[in-house]
Amino acid sequence: MTTKTLDAPMSPEKQRIYEGVRNVLVDALGVDREEVTLDSTLQRDLGAESFDYLDIVFRLEKEFKIKIPKGEMFPDLTPDHLGADGRINNFGRKYVKEHFPHLGISDTGRFDISDSFKVRSVVDYLEAKFGSGVQKW
């Protein structure tokens, strides 16, 4: 379980986003508030399963009064993005890196898509969405 505390101080705006995301994840996943840190992974640390992602998106839309288009926050990977072993291939890595910068994918090293969905990724996605002119809640 990830127990790392917050990094450097956040701006008041990012702190508000983080607190909103934290509230959503506590409600959606039934975890304790202390378990939800920026570095918590949604699956490994917080126990999210594939069907939870739709609920999380729905709750984020309600919490922040925004619309999150399908496949915009979490990638919809197809068999073309995966190798025979079920792991993401180079094509998939490039796709995720280009279309989902909030996941922080590197060009090299082992890549486990489920470990890439962190609380930080959700916060960064929302911060970028609000920074792009989306009406703030």
Side-chain angles (χ1 to χ4, degrees):
M1 170 121 348
T2 302
T3 57
K4 189 174 180 181
T5 57
L6 296 177
D7 300 336
M10 288 188 271
S11 69
E13 178 77 7
K14 191 165 190 168
Q15 183 66 40
R16 285 183 58 213
I17 294 170
Y18 172 60
E19 290 303 324
V21 169
R22 211 172 183 193
N23 292 338
V24 163
L25 295 174
V26 166
D27 290 342
L29 302 175
V31 295
D32 292 332
R33 188 170 175 72
E34 296 75 36
E35 293 179 76
V36 183
T37 69
L38 285 173
D39 290 322
S40 299
T41 61
L42 299 183
Q43 281 185 276
R44 185 172 26 89
D45 296 331
L46 302 179
E49 297 185 29
S50 58
F51 59 85
D52 290 317
Y53 287 92
L54 184 59
D55 185 40
I56 290 167
V57 169
F58 171 74
R59 289 172 185 258
L60 288 169
E61 288 177 332
K62 188 174 177 182
E63 174 78 17
F64 293 100
K65 297 172 180 55
I66 60 170
K67 181 71 178 147
I68 300 171
K70 183 179 186 292
E72 188 175 276
M73 185 177 348
F74 302 118
D76 289 332
L77 298 177
T78 67
D80 292 339
H81 299 113
L82 305 173
D85 60 359
R87 292 195 175 161
I88 196 162
N89 59 26
N90 287 338
F91 174 71
R93 182 189 297 262
K94 182 179 178 187
Y95 168 77
V96 170
K97 187 172 180 186
E98 287 176 7
H99 294 91
F100 304 91
H102 55 280
L103 295 178
I105 304 304
S106 69
D107 287 327
T108 60
R110 185 175 180 281
F111 176 70
D112 184 344
I113 190 75
S114 63
D115 285 342
S116 298
F117 301 142
K118 294 184 178 187
V119 174
R120 176 186 314 277
S121 305
V122 177
V123 171
D124 289 348
Y125 165 83
L126 291 169
E127 183 179 41
K129 190 160 185 77
F130 293 133
S132 67
V134 170
Q135 178 77 26
K136 292 188 172 78
W137 71 107

